[in-house]
Amino acid sequence: MKQNQECLHETYVWEVPVRVTHWVNVLSIATLSVTGIFIGSPVTLGLTASAYVMGWIRFIHFVAGYLFAISVVSRIYWSFVSNRYAGWREFVPFLSAEGRRNMWRMFAYYTFMSRKVPHPIGHNALAGATYLLVFLLYLVMILTGFTLYSEHAPHGPLHALLGWMFAHFSNQGIRQTHHLIMWFLIGFAIHHIYSAWLMDVKERGGVISSIFGGYKPVQGRE
Amino acid sequence: MEKGGSKGKGENPEQCFDVPRALAERGITRRDFMKFCTAMSAALALPMTLVPRIAAALESDARPSIIWLEFQSCTGDTEALLRAANPTVGEIILDVLSIDYAETIMAAAGHQAEEARAKTVKESRGKYIAIVEGAVPMKDGGIYCCIGGRSALDIVREVCGGALATITVGTCASYGGIPAAAPNPTGAVGVKEAVPGATVINLPGCPVNTDNLVATVVHFLTFGKLPAVDGKGRPLFAYGKRIHDNCERRPHFDAGQYVESWGSEAHRSGHCLYKMGCKGPETFHNCPVQRYNEKTSWPVGSGHGCAGCSEPQFWDTMTPFYRRLPNVPGFGIETTADKIGTGLAVATAAAFAAHGVVSGFRHKDDESKDGKGGNQ
């Protein structure tokens, strides 16, 4: 690494919409999880009947839900117009032989079978494939969440849009799914922070600071 | 409907029954009758200006024949109708209907009874109303419920198929209810599923709220058609609003005051039953407003959470009744999604902590060009 330092130059990897949606997702998922756990199993915090504890917590949950949905949809849109590092192809590496090879390399490194540290500029192939799964879970969360929310107005436009969900899944099943996926996403967040930290240490590519500033030091010109 | 007997079956009821006289006989004043008509217009969410029209319709001679069928049921809906403490205007309105067949209350029995039904089906084809109580078993050719040597399926196809409209009373007739609960050994279904071609309006509930049955009949007598329904075939006037949104305990939900155990101070103070498994936030019925037994009370009013009895497959999907979420298949009976999720999160953190420790002690990573794979 040291002898190559002079060859490093800045590459603009994460454009503004990628970074903004990333941090909006972080904020809204944290808010949605905390408020969601309270809504699912509340504790008596209201001292009098005129308090509005659950009312406000639900309000925050719904606002964060809208924020999250807008952020996720924006990010999906951006994957079709962004630079190559954030484009949709990053999330389906398993479609190409090279992508599958890269996924295997990363997997072998993570599981201590190989000592070769992959140095991708954008997402590593395994992470890209994981984010596809995570975004699918996001979409299921948005769908189940807004479906349950629509019940407050059973003849409103939201219910007209999502009422078909109730024809295919039981109401309690939709609730169960909404709870379980939250825990999957919490599990993902733990993994995500750990892996970013690990790769920041091992790659020495500044991956953590890149999601704040957008730039990564890259060897050799692309 | 025991009045069905009192008005004298078989001696041409058209001539010996009229509403004003029946009301007078029961000691119900004209004022009470008009109050009833006003209450009905309110229940049906109709404007006040229609009250005279309702009154006129109820006093007219239009008397559609009724066939009341009962299959896989506990007779709870019949009981709900018959066990009113005082004769109400609503019951007399049901007297307006000519009930030609209803096993529980009719005087005739055996072949005589079956003949009465066959006569109505044949002579009033397309003009009578069928009321069905109880589920219809479909398995093995419908042999699990037979009346007079004929299967329920056979009877319901004939009667509901030829009816002007069918009103299902109770959840069993509407969606299969308890007989249809897993594993549904008899293949029980609701009427609409048994006779897809029939015009069916569902009045689910366990039991049906008599007020809603009366209101549906009043709507029919007044306008000559059934009221508007939701996606589950239930009239909007009775099932259009969520229980949670009309619940008298709702302020405690919003305030954040919950019952944690039965008989606790919070329970006695009428706090919200959400944590005790109340399904009110996902069920649609007018129980909080209309209540049962002449508006005396309803489950949540008497301290028990909503079990979701008016929703399809409630026995399978709303259980356990005293928990917010269903059990997760493959895990123990006390295991909720959140317990499993907490375990999952802790296990993930532990696994990555272990990975981190191992990584921390691995210093000899290959930094050669070959190592720089990735997807550049």
Side-chain angles (χ1 to χ4, degrees), chain B residues 32 35 48 54 70-72 77 99 114 119 123 202 205 218 253 262 268 270 298 318 335 356 361 366 368:
Chain B
D32 287 334
K35 273 159 75 180
M48 284 287 283
I54 291 173
E70 186 177 346
F71 303 122
Q72 289 178 306
D77 302 296
I99 298 184
E114 299 302 298
K119 186 165 167 269
E123 288 176 8
N202 291 326
V218 165
F253 172 84
W262 302 117
R268 279 178 277 129
W298 65 296
M318 296 292 178
T335 319
F361 286 102
D366 184 356
S368 71

Side-chain angles (χ1 to χ4, degrees), chain B residues 10-286:
Chain B
E11 44 172 274
N12 198 359
E14 271 79 13
Q15 282 165 17
C16 69
F17 183 83
D18 68 289
V19 173
R21 210 179 80 192
L23 291 169
E25 276 171 7
R26 306 287 181 103
I28 293 166
T29 61
R30 178 76 187 164
R31 184 179 170 80
D32 287 334
F33 176 68
M34 290 312 291
K35 273 159 75 180
F36 169 82
C37 294
T38 310
M40 278 296 124
S41 78
L44 289 163
L46 295 172
M48 284 287 283
T49 47
L50 282 172
V51 171
R53 197 168 151 191
I54 291 173
L58 296 187
E59 287 177 316
S60 78
D61 285 340
R63 301 190 61 210
S65 292
I66 295 276
I67 295 179
W68 183 298
L69 299 175
E70 186 177 346
F71 303 122
Q72 289 178 306
S73 88
C74 65
T75 322
D77 302 296
T78 302
E79 289 290 333
L81 202 58
L82 299 180
R83 294 284 170 174
N86 309 298
T88 62
V89 186
E91 285 178 65
I92 292 164
I93 294 316
L94 290 173
D95 268 0
V96 171
L97 306 165
S98 154
I99 298 184
D100 294 350
Y101 181 88
E103 286 119 355
T104 311
I105 56 169
M106 69 197 298
H111 293 296
Q112 204 188 356
E114 299 302 298
E115 270 164 32
R117 190 186 68 215
K119 186 165 167 269
T120 305
V121 170
K122 198 170 156 218
E123 288 176 8
S124 317
R125 194 174 169 76
K127 282 183 277 189
Y128 64 91
I129 293 177
I131 297 182
V132 185
E133 176 179 4
V136 180
M138 302 282 273
K139 217 177 202 173
D140 301 325
I143 58 165
Y144 298 108
C145 179
C146 292
I147 297 156
R150 290 176 67 194
S151 73
L153 183 59
D154 193 21
I155 296 170
V156 82
R157 273 186 185 145
E158 184 197 356
V159 174
C160 299
L164 173 63
T166 300
I167 302 172
T168 62
V169 291
T171 303
C172 299
S174 299
Y175 310 120
I178 292 168
N184 195 357
T186 63
V189 298
V191 171
K192 187 65 187 170
E193 211 178 321
V195 196
T199 307
V200 178
I201 188 160
N202 291 326
L203 299 180
C206 200
V208 65
N209 192 325
T210 311
D211 292 346
N212 292 336
L213 175 60
V214 172
T216 303
V217 170
V218 165
H219 187 284
F220 181 79
L221 292 175
T222 308
F223 300 104
K225 62 177 185 186
L226 294 169
V229 295
D230 68 4
K232 291 169 183 168
R234 308 178 292 193
L236 289 170
F237 76 82
Y239 301 86
K241 295 241 160 52
R242 185 162 61 159
I243 286 192
H244 191 50
D245 295 332
N246 280 331
C247 180
E248 62 225 34
R249 293 180 188 239
R250 178 61 186 266
H252 296 291
F253 172 84
D254 287 332
Q257 296 183 302
Y258 305 97
V259 177
E260 305 268 354
S261 62
W262 302 117
S264 62
E265 181 58 34
H267 189 214
R268 279 178 277 129
S269 308
H271 290 181
C272 176
L273 295 162
Y274 181 79
K275 291 191 81 174
M276 305 310 281
C278 177
K279 303 301 186 297
E282 58 202 89
T283 51
F284 296 81
H285 205 160
N286 58 359

Side-chain angles (χ1 to χ4, degrees), chain A residues 1 4 38-56 58 84 90 93 98 102 105 109-125 148 151-152 154-155 159 166 170-173 175-176 179-180 182-184 186-188 190-191 194-195 198 202 204 218-219 222, chain B residues 230 232 236 239-242 244-245 250-260 271 274-275 279 281-284 317-320 323-329 336-342 344-346 348-349 352-376:
Chain A
M1 203 75 177
N4 291 334
F38 181 84
I39 295 166
S41 44
V43 285
T44 296
L45 293 179
L47 297 176
T48 67
S50 43
Y52 201 60
V53 176
M54 182 58 112
W56 283 116
R58 288 175 77 235
R84 49 185 293 206
E90 285 277 289
E98 200 207 336
N102 288 337
R105 272 185 205 152
Y109 180 74
Y110 272 142
T111 51
F112 308 122
M113 290 190 289
S114 156
R115 284 178 183 275
K116 290 179 180 173
V117 193
H119 282 68
I121 298 178
H123 304 112
N124 77 61
L148 294 172
E151 290 202 296
H152 80 283
H155 315 294
H159 196 266
F166 294 115
S170 74
N171 197 310
Q172 284 289 86
R175 262 159 231 274
Q176 179 95 302
H179 279 242
L180 276 176
M182 175 194 73
W183 289 108
F184 281 128
I186 288 173
F188 163 75
I190 294 168
H191 146 78
Y194 170 75
S195 291
L198 178 77
K202 300 291 182 180
R204 280 165 258 158
V218 174
Q219 289 180 335
E222 283 287 306
Chain B
D230 68 4
K232 291 169 183 168
L236 289 170
Y239 301 86
K241 295 241 160 52
R242 185 162 61 159
H244 191 50
D245 295 332
R250 178 61 186 266
H252 296 291
F253 172 84
D254 287 332
Q257 296 183 302
Y258 305 97
V259 177
E260 305 268 354
H271 290 181
Y274 181 79
K275 291 191 81 174
K279 303 301 186 297
E282 58 202 89
T283 51
F284 296 81
T317 65
M318 296 292 178
T319 45
R323 286 177 181 278
R324 284 238 53 76
L325 285 181
N327 296 317
V328 182
T336 61
D338 292 332
K339 270 189 194 162
I340 293 166
T342 312
L344 183 93
V346 170
T348 312
F352 286 114
H355 192 280
V357 170
V358 177
S359 297
F361 286 102
R362 261 166 82 97
H363 293 298
K364 290 177 200 139
D365 277 340
D366 184 356
E367 289 294 341
S368 71
K369 269 281 172 202
D370 291 339
K372 292 163 192 183
N375 50 354
Q376 301 181 28

Side-chain angles (χ1 to χ4, degrees), chain A:
Chain A
M1 203 75 177
K2 244 172 222 154
Q3 65 273 24
N4 291 334
Q5 211 99 63
E6 55 273 21
C7 306
L8 286 179
H9 48 86
E10 293 170 337
T11 303
Y12 189 40
V13 182
W14 312 125
E15 296 151 295
V16 171
V18 176
R19 284 177 279 148
V20 168
T21 54
H22 175 268
W23 291 111
V24 169
N25 287 354
V26 172
L27 200 71
S28 52
I29 291 173
T31 310
L32 285 164
S33 299
V34 171
T35 53
I37 289 168
F38 181 84
I39 295 166
S41 44
V43 285
T44 296
L45 293 179
L47 297 176
T48 67
S50 43
Y52 201 60
V53 176
M54 182 58 112
W56 283 116
I57 287 174
R58 288 175 77 235
F59 176 74
I60 294 166
H61 191 79
F62 301 145
V63 170
Y66 274 108
L67 197 66
F68 180 62
I70 292 166
S71 172
V72 167
V73 171
S74 307
R75 181 63 183 85
I76 291 170
Y77 164 75
W78 190 252
S79 73
F80 293 98
V81 294
S82 68
N83 67 21
R84 49 185 293 206
Y85 307 113
W88 64 271
R89 285 182 188 82
E90 285 277 289
F91 306 102
V92 286
F94 44 83
L95 292 184
S96 73
E98 200 207 336
R100 285 193 290 272
R101 208 158 40 242
N102 288 337
M103 281 174 76
W104 171 251
R105 272 185 205 152
M106 199 63 221
F107 181 77
Y109 180 74
Y110 272 142
T111 51
F112 308 122
M113 290 190 289
S114 156
R115 284 178 183 275
K116 290 179 180 173
V117 193
H119 282 68
I121 298 178
H123 304 112
N124 77 61
L126 203 57
T130 307
Y131 299 152
L132 177 71
L133 182 69
V134 167
F135 265 72
L136 287 176
L137 292 180
Y138 286 171
L139 291 177
V140 175
M141 277 312 250
I142 292 167
L143 202 61
T144 52
F146 278 97
T147 303
L148 294 172
Y149 178 57
S150 78
E151 290 202 296
H152 80 283
H155 315 294
L158 203 56
H159 196 266
L161 197 68
L162 295 164
W164 58 270
M165 286 279 287
F166 294 115
H168 295 279
F169 310 101
S170 74
N171 197 310
Q172 284 289 86
I174 295 171
R175 262 159 231 274
Q176 179 95 302
T177 308
H178 202 69
H179 279 242
L180 276 176
I181 294 180
M182 175 194 73
W183 289 108
F184 281 128
L185 291 176
I186 288 173
F188 163 75
I190 294 168
H191 146 78
H192 184 68
I193 293 166
Y194 170 75
S195 291
W197 183 5
L198 178 77
M199 295 325 287
D200 202 78
V201 172
K202 300 291 182 180
E203 281 183 346
R204 280 165 258 158
V207 66
I208 288 185
S209 77
S210 74
I211 196 61
F212 291 94
Y215 285 88
K216 275 176 95 174
V218 174
Q219 289 180 335
R221 217 163 265 286
E222 283 287 306

